[in-house]
Amino acid sequence: MTLTLAGITVMPLISEAQLKVSGLLFGDYAFKTQADSVGSRRKVTSEYAQLPKNYSGFNIRRAYINFDYDVNDRVHVEAILAHESTTPTGAAEVAPDNNNIMFLKYANVRFKQVFKGTDLIMGQQRTPTFATSGGSEPLWEYRPIERTITDFNRLASSTDLGVGLEGKYLDGKLGYNVLYGNNQGAKALFSPTTTPFTSAANAPRLYMDVWYKFFNRLEVQVYYDYSCDNSNWDSTKTKFQTASSTIKPMIAWVQPGLFTVGVEYYVQTNTHAANDINGETGAQSLGAVVSNAKAGSNTATLANLRNTTPTGLSFWGHVILIKDNDTGKVSKRVGNMQDGQKGGILSLFARYDSYNPDATMTDALASNKTNRGKIQSLAGFYTFGLDWEPAKNIHIMPNVWYEGFTQKYDASQLSTVAGYQAQKNSSDMVYRLSLWYNF
């Protein structure tokens, strides 16, 4: 396309052939039929957690605009603007006047084939935790319904600013990802002189994974990450190093045109990360000596400090009930990982997650004031529903969203803590009608 101004032909800097614009949108009408009786006393970051029973309303949870530009056959540029919100919407997700906002989700330059089979990626990019081509999110496919388990429990973000390598070999059957990033998600890096790293949770992180497709059906991934904060350590042992590491295997079977099933498990170890009475794990100011001390407190000792070990297990799957008449159509779902799978006009999906916030917590520790908190509830998450595609790339999905909590210890272990009631068994249940569109 050319433009003529005052008789002068102006050539565009970017050609239509080189620039691709795409995007997605998904949201829901939600009606909450059950509400957690503990409410804000339970440390829960999942959707709908603080909404009362009988809440109903609409929300757009995601809206992305993607710009992809091929500079040449060896260099690719990507930028994605995103609106993301939870239900209820958090303060950081809207402008001061409560209007929805957009932010820079991804912005990176990919240098293809820096060596055989491997691309170099610089900038804001997908993390190997679940979002890259070998991860579980493209296989689960139903991100518009819910995050994968590591994302759901906030182990890592889907995006980070750093330098990464992505490799694919054996005609795409074998791959790996390595990323060294800020570990801040899409947020700007703060100044360490005014707000220092206070735990491994916000120190720089190394992510890596390797995956392989057997028989072009069975996909196996092993993921690992590591972050370490040395700013809370010194040789006198009045400060202590904090570190975090995660290992996650995932296995999935893809039967083109029929179904996909998968399972993933993770265990994360956080060293010197004992919880104080409020369940906090990070120092809040320069006055805090160790990673678990409250702001201005210098009283924690090595005896208080211990490892915490969150674990999670997830089973998920979907099956096509009615195939599309166009047998040559490839399913247009998040990630487009399932090359060759025929699209379905009606599918069934389901998932179950089990979460333990600290597998190393014991009754003895729970009875110790230093280690008590409001996070020791086992959680089970369920979702299931139907995916109806009445028109290309438009999905209408009635579904059930449920998270149940089980008290991990006897009430006597927790009920004596001032200001905290025993963690009762309870749950949040939401009926939703979800809409998902991509272009």
Side-chain angles (χ1 to χ4, degrees):
M1 181 181 70
T2 60
L3 178 66
T4 302
L5 296 174
I8 301 174
T9 299
V10 179
M11 299 297 293
L13 294 177
I14 300 176
S15 72
E16 293 182 24
Q18 292 172 307
L19 177 64
K20 178 184 177 182
V21 180
S22 59
L24 65 83
L25 178 148
F26 60 82
D28 327 88
Y29 169 75
F31 178 69
K32 189 169 184 180
T33 60
Q34 238 168 258
D36 179 15
S37 60
V38 177
S40 61
R41 292 186 183 278
R42 199 188 308 278
K43 188 175 181 181
V44 175
T45 58
S46 50
E47 202 95 6
Y48 311 108
Q50 304 305 323
L51 290 172
K53 182 179 179 180
N54 295 325
Y55 160 86
S56 65
F58 297 89
N59 188 26
I60 295 175
R61 291 186 287 116
R62 293 292 184 275
Y64 289 2
I65 301 176
N66 311 344
F67 300 93
D68 291 277
Y69 177 60
D70 289 318
V71 178
N72 54 47
D73 61 354
R74 298 293 297 273
V75 181
H76 177 82
V77 177
E78 173 190 51
I80 296 181
L81 298 176
H83 162 69
E84 298 186 353
S85 68
T86 55
T87 311
T89 301
E93 299 166 346
V94 293
D97 60 1
N98 218 41
N99 283 325
N100 291 330
I101 60 172
M102 298 196 81
F103 65 95
L104 194 61
K105 178 81 172 184
Y106 301 108
N108 59 75
V109 179
R110 177 185 292 264
F111 300 93
K112 301 178 183 179
Q113 299 294 311
V114 290
F115 49 90
K116 187 175 181 180
T118 293
D119 297 349
L120 171 67
I121 309 165
M122 303 178 68
Q124 195 77 36
Q125 58 192 280
R126 292 162 186 80
T127 64
T129 314
F130 50 85
T132 50
S133 57
S136 54
E137 184 173 280
L139 288 164
W140 157 233
E141 293 195 35
Y142 283 96
R143 174 60 189 88
I145 295 298
E146 191 48 83
R147 302 171 172 92
T148 61
I149 188 170
T150 47
D151 194 10
F152 187 86
N153 292 310
R154 305 298 198 269
L155 264 72
S157 173
S158 62
T159 179
D160 203 0
L161 181 59
V163 177
L165 294 172
E166 180 180 54
K168 292 183 180 180
Y169 302 92
L170 304 178
D171 296 324
K173 292 185 177 67
L174 172 67
Y176 78 92
N177 298 274
V178 176
L179 169 64
Y180 183 70
N182 283 340
N183 199 17
Q184 299 295 310
K187 297 179 177 64
L189 183 65
F190 49 68
S191 169
T193 59
T194 57
T195 310
F197 296 128
T198 54
S199 74
N202 55 22
R205 180 177 296 197
L206 176 66
Y207 315 74
M208 60 187 73
D209 82 330
V210 60
W211 52 270
Y212 188 80
K213 293 182 183 179
F214 296 88
F215 329 114
N216 204 30
R217 296 287 186 274
L218 181 67
E219 181 163 332
V220 177
Q221 179 210 35
V222 178
Y223 165 85
Y224 177 79
D225 68 38
Y226 179 79
S227 57
C228 180
D229 170 35
N230 287 310
S231 65
N232 277 335
W233 177 88
D234 65 23
S235 58
T236 65
K237 301 299 183 182
T238 57
K239 301 180 182 181
F240 305 98
Q241 181 189 69
T242 61
S244 175
S245 63
T246 308
I247 186 165
K248 178 176 72 73
M250 184 272 294
I251 185 169
W253 183 277
V254 178
Q255 190 66 36
L258 293 176
F259 65 86
T260 297
V261 292
V263 58
E264 58 184 317
Y265 171 79
Y266 74 81
V267 57
Q268 184 178 71
T269 300
N270 303 299
T271 62
H272 293 157
N275 302 304
D276 64 23
I277 195 170
N278 292 318
E280 302 295 338
T281 56
Q284 303 298 307
S285 75
L286 290 171
V289 173
V290 294
S291 66
N292 76 322
K294 292 184 67 61
S297 172
N298 296 319
T299 59
T301 66
L302 184 59
N304 304 112
L305 297 172
R306 61 180 182 83
N307 297 353
T308 60
T309 311
T311 64
L313 177 66
S314 181
F315 298 91
W316 40 264
H318 42 85
V319 58
I320 292 178
L321 302 177
I322 302 175
K323 292 185 179 182
D324 194 287
N325 291 330
D326 180 4
T327 57
K329 175 185 169 186
V330 176
S331 179
K332 296 293 185 181
R333 293 179 176 167
V334 175
N336 297 321
M337 264 293 291
Q338 300 184 24
D339 299 336
Q341 177 167 338
K342 305 300 185 293
I345 60 174
L346 186 65
S347 301
L348 171 70
F349 58 85
R351 186 173 125 199
Y352 166 71
D353 293 354
S354 173
Y355 173 65
N356 187 336
D358 186 4
T360 59
M361 177 64 86
T362 65
D363 284 338
L365 288 169
S367 65
N368 182 313
K369 175 180 174 181
T370 304
N371 292 306
R372 274 190 220 169
K374 55 179 179 178
I375 66 171
Q376 295 306 324
S377 298
L378 302 176
F381 170 72
Y382 304 80
T383 188
F384 60 90
L386 291 172
D387 173 9
W388 175 43
E389 188 177 3
K392 183 179 179 180
N393 297 337
I394 296 177
H395 298 258
I396 297 173
M397 302 178 293
N399 63 94
V400 176
W401 189 104
Y402 173 90
E403 187 173 22
F405 305 100
T406 303
Q407 182 174 300
K408 193 173 178 182
Y409 304 102
D410 291 337
S412 60
Q413 299 290 344
L414 296 168
S415 59
T416 57
V417 181
Y420 288 89
Q421 66 186 74
Q423 297 181 60
K424 301 174 183 176
N425 299 348
S426 192
S427 61
D428 289 314
M429 177 178 281
V430 182
Y431 291 93
R432 302 190 301 183
L433 182 62
S434 303
L435 173 69
W436 167 24
Y437 171 67
N438 55 47
F439 62 91

